[in-house]
Amino acid sequence: PVLPSRAHVAWDAPAALEIALRRRSVVAWLCGHDHAGAYAERDGVHFITFQGMVETPDRNAYAFVSLNAGRMLIEGRGREPSRELVLRPA
């Protein structure tokens, strides 16, 4: 993860974030995993960190992602929340 800034981010998060925000073609950054999951938005780019499954002995955490018509639909399962995100034009 590069955002939100927490204890569990990539070592080179500032540099990676700068590159991602500089590119108009980047509309979302999907990654795993911070066990609690996370979401942030900066300059029209969505940063989604999917939840880890280690702490879920009785409930899983995963998602299906689909893209269409300027939107990203994340269909969460188990502990992973569902989201519908509007994507900025590239």
Side-chain angles (χ1 to χ4, degrees), residues 1-5 16-17 19-32 37-50 65-74 80 82-90:
V2 296
L3 276 182
S5 295
L17 180 61
I19 292 167
L21 294 176
R22 225 180 330 164
R23 306 282 193 276
R24 291 293 303 165
S25 59
V26 176
V27 295
W29 180 289
L30 308 176
C31 66
Y39 171 80
E41 182 274 331
R42 182 174 296 173
D43 298 338
V45 178
H46 301 279
F47 294 85
I48 300 102
T49 305
F50 293 106
V65 178
S66 58
L67 301 169
N68 58 46
R71 295 187 180 278
M72 176 184 294
L73 179 61
I74 299 173
E80 187 64 45
S82 294
R83 307 172 193 272
E84 185 172 355
L85 306 171
V86 175
L87 303 177
R88 71 177 186 189

